[in-house]
Amino acid sequence: MYGLRYRITGSRVVLYWPGSQAQIRLHGFNPGWWERAATRRRREYAGSTFDTPHWTEHESRAHQLTQEAGWEPAGLLSPLLRRIRATAGDGPCNGTSVWFNEVALRLETTYGPACAQLTALLCKGPTTLGWTVQRQTCFCLSEHAEGCSINFTAPGEPPIHYTNLRWGARFTGKNHQRRLSELNARALLI
């Protein structure tokens, strides 16, 4: 998400947009891990903007182009980011990616929750996003490893295409767990 910045406040990582009052406070893990990952990102990607106080020229241009396209993602992405934990499943391989492909917002999880649980969080009840399910292919109750997909619609927003890759159903062996530990250790080395 262009323009996103962070700062460490006590035992939390705070994500924010420069010039905005909105923020997301992440807690429940060691902020030192975040710093290690950010340091590595700065080293590997010259010009990393995680901690610059203002938007860069490229970020300002991306914002301008988004507005010119007639679709401002903040109205959709901000509420979605506040619910991002809703996309985490029970398994050890959780990850969520969100991007816009000029046609639809893509929301992809490596091992998300059951479809019924996700749709309940996003579509039903007083604190939802007001999304509705347009089309759904669900393999949650199947023993096969196929992923699930849901096409959502949102009032006044582009379509939202969700895919749950169900990696947790595929990678549960000891070799995979050992490999994940190795990759995590390498990722956090400074």
Side-chain angles (χ1 to χ4, degrees):
M1 187 172 173
Y2 64 83
L4 191 65
R5 301 292 188 268
Y6 84 94
R7 65 178 170 269
I8 303 294
T9 305
S11 63
R12 296 180 181 193
V13 175
V14 178
L15 303 178
Y16 66 96
W17 255 13
S20 170
Q21 296 294 325
Q23 61 183 9
I24 299 171
R25 286 177 258 156
L26 306 175
H27 57 88
F29 63 94
N30 184 339
W33 295 349
W34 184 280
E35 282 292 349
R36 288 177 139 190
T39 298
R40 185 170 183 145
R41 186 175 190 272
R42 277 185 214 103
R43 247 191 353 241
E44 292 180 359
Y45 301 98
S48 175
T49 59
F50 257 166
D51 49 8
T52 57
H54 304 289
W55 282 5
T56 66
E57 181 180 329
H58 292 296
E59 290 170 327
S60 295
R61 182 70 179 137
H63 182 67
Q64 178 185 353
L65 290 172
T66 301
Q67 288 180 325
E68 289 172 3
W71 182 69
E72 176 56 48
L76 185 58
L77 291 179
S78 179
L80 178 60
L81 284 172
R82 288 194 301 270
R83 291 167 176 81
I84 206 72
R85 183 68 184 127
T87 63
D90 297 333
C93 308
N94 281 298
T96 300
S97 296
V98 181
W99 70 93
F100 185 64
N101 66 6
E102 297 185 24
V103 175
L105 184 75
R106 293 284 304 137
L107 174 62
E108 183 177 272
T109 60
T110 55
Y111 190 55
C115 291
Q117 181 183 359
L118 183 69
T119 57
L121 289 169
L122 300 176
C123 301
K124 302 171 187 165
T127 60
T128 66
L129 296 175
W131 294 8
T132 57
V133 174
Q134 186 70 30
R135 187 181 67 78
Q136 180 174 352
T137 304
C138 178
F139 293 101
C140 289
L141 300 178
S142 170
E143 291 185 22
H144 300 287
E146 290 95 359
C148 301
S149 64
I150 305 172
N151 289 350
F152 293 100
T153 57
E157 302 292 351
I160 301 101
H161 296 168
Y162 167 75
T163 305
N164 180 355
L165 299 175
R166 297 187 64 204
W167 283 6
R170 298 177 190 167
F171 305 113
T172 56
K174 289 182 182 179
N175 286 339
H176 178 71
Q177 294 301 320
R178 188 178 71 248
R179 181 68 176 143
L180 275 180
S181 296
E182 290 170 7
L183 291 171
N184 283 334
R186 187 182 313 158
L188 296 175
L189 285 177
I190 298 288

